[in-house]
Amino acid sequence: MEKIIDENKQGQSLVIEKKEGNKRKLFIESYGCAMNFSDSEIVASIMANQGFNTTQNLEEADLVLVNTCSIRDKAEQTVRKRLEKYNAVKRDHNPNMKVGVLGCMAERLKTKFLEEEKIVDLVVGPDAYKDLPNLLAEVDEGRDAINVILSKEETYGDIAPVRLNTNGVSAFVSITRGCDNMCTFCVVPFTRGRERSRDPQSIIEEINDLWSKGYKDITLLGQNVDSYLWYGGGLKKDFEKASDMQKATAVNFASLLEICAKAQPKMRIRFSTSNPQDLTLDVVKTMAKHQNICNHIHLPVQSGSNRILKEMNRLHTREEYMELIDNIRQILPNCAISQDIIVGFPTETEADFQDTISLLKYVKYNFGYMYKYSERPGTMAGRNMEDDVPEETKKRRLQDIVDLQRLHSEIKTKEWLGKTVEVLIEKESKKSNQQWSGRTSESIVCVFPKDAYKVGDFVNVKITNCTSATLIGEAVGYSQNN
Ligand code: 5AD
Ligand code: SF4
């Protein structure tokens, strides 16, 4: 499940520009990964054509849509709490309000949602958003409606997403959907279906359109971007059956990255998430070739123990992962690398955990996202393995790696002291309205006094100070990328 969950964004309700003539009010909020936030932009676009403007006020909403996440039990509990809140608002202030559940929880629980949660009127899985107008018509007539069919083709390539709560500078562009990897802990292959790639032409059109609207930093999104493969449409697993012509003209991730970098040479291009077994050195070499492809790879490892990696069905060993890191560092010496790690996977011993610690020390990641194992019903591990690591042990192991990661982040961040880096200004700093906040190519947040600069400027910043995760500096002029 190679996606980053941005804790700052969870549950944000989303607003878009009002469309003249739209009478009904939609409250839409999202939980989980960047893919969900990106999907909500597609949903908002579909709903705008159905007469809905967005609102941030539950009490006046005609329809509430919540885009949900199933990755860990905690994510699902958060959504259950929100449903209680909607229930209270409906009871006390807004009796006509309808509620729809979208995304991974909808797909996982299907009709159970309608049975378990009386508040829910509408259940829509991640591949069925184009059916929303029909489903809505059912709901308007007083019936519950559900579509959780997963698709072989759907990539929403033909729907121009509306940008929700945007800073006008950075945006997500979805390039693949689903995942074929079947890591044993992961619910994603069940909730988002088989892997398929989006037509490169529509990706480039979206990037060009974003550039023309002033966007300067895009992230190509997918559960496993390195596995991108376009051969005219269809599932990745059916590529073997493609014609010789289709095979000869297929576009893989390295070529897609190059096409994107060349299409908009001043646009910063990022991608997430990479999978160690699919990331090729071609991709790393393409990054080295194009200055506008950002210097950061999010490369989840999940565990440093070969035995646990095997149990997780991660198709690489610790040694192969370390070799990949060595190769990346050789081709791109300053590339930032981040991780996802799970502690307390079933049967994980202290020795297995120490292997994770030693891998962490070997790589010294710039930053990372660490989790306690959460058993997911229906997954291979959920069905075949007992969740046998005690909660206390999971907690302690999590704390240990979080502490170690913090130490490494601090070491890595300090390496920037005294250097001058290019920062793209994204927004005002949360801590001071006198300061801008932006990111370096390596995805490190940097804050500095505003001076005469504005959001969207590429600025050279001299780094004078830092915390463990944030660079602090002073702007010394526009960068040549402006
Ligand atoms: N329990 C805990 N963490 C999980 N992840 C995925 N599935 C689970 C699970 N069942 C983590 C992985 C993934 C990240 C987005 O979430 O580390 O890379
Ligand atoms: Fe990532 Fe594995 Fe889940 Fe696919 S199955 S989304 S690769 S963790």
Side-chain angles (χ1 to χ4, degrees), residues 1-3 71-72 185 302 340 342 372 374 376:
M1 171 56 258
E2 320 291 23
K3 322 181 276 188
I71 196 82
R72 282 169 290 275
F185 52 81
Q302 315 297 2
D340 285 350
I342 298 176
K372 287 183 287 180
S374 164
R376 306 315 294 133

Side-chain angles (χ1 to χ4, degrees), residues 75-90:
E76 293 203 350
Q77 295 316 323
T78 309
V79 169
R80 298 273 186 189
K81 284 212 189 79
R82 287 304 287 163
L83 292 175
E84 279 171 29
K85 168 78 181 167
Y86 306 156
N87 222 342
V89 172
K90 180 168 173 144

Side-chain angles (χ1 to χ4, degrees), residues 14-30:
L14 306 164
V15 271
I16 58 169
E17 236 171 73
K18 285 204 165 29
K19 197 167 160 184
E20 210 47 45
N22 276 358
K23 293 276 179 330
R24 299 211 272 177
K25 295 204 168 72
L26 167 70
F27 180 99
I28 177 166
E29 63 181 352
S30 300

Side-chain angles (χ1 to χ4, degrees), residues 130-149:
K130 277 191 199 151
D131 196 27
L132 269 165
N134 301 324
L135 297 166
L136 208 60
E138 294 273 315
V139 170
D140 284 342
E141 286 175 18
R143 289 188 293 272
D144 288 346
I146 178 164
N147 185 344
V148 286
I149 297 170

Side-chain angles (χ1 to χ4, degrees), residues 2 14 23 27 40 74 92-93 182 189 234 248-249 254 260 269 344 346 360 384 436 442 444 470 477:
E2 320 291 23
L14 306 164
K23 293 276 179 330
F27 180 99
S40 289
K74 201 169 142 217
D92 299 338
H93 306 282
M182 288 300 199
T249 55
C260 295
I269 316 267
L360 220 71
N384 302 331
W436 288 128
E442 291 75 18
I444 313 295
T470 307

Side-chain angles (χ1 to χ4, degrees), residues 39-56:
D39 281 0
S40 289
E41 297 185 332
I42 289 170
V43 170
S45 168
I46 295 171
M47 299 307 286
N49 292 330
Q50 298 300 308
F52 283 90
N53 279 331
T54 45
T55 172
Q56 283 188 300

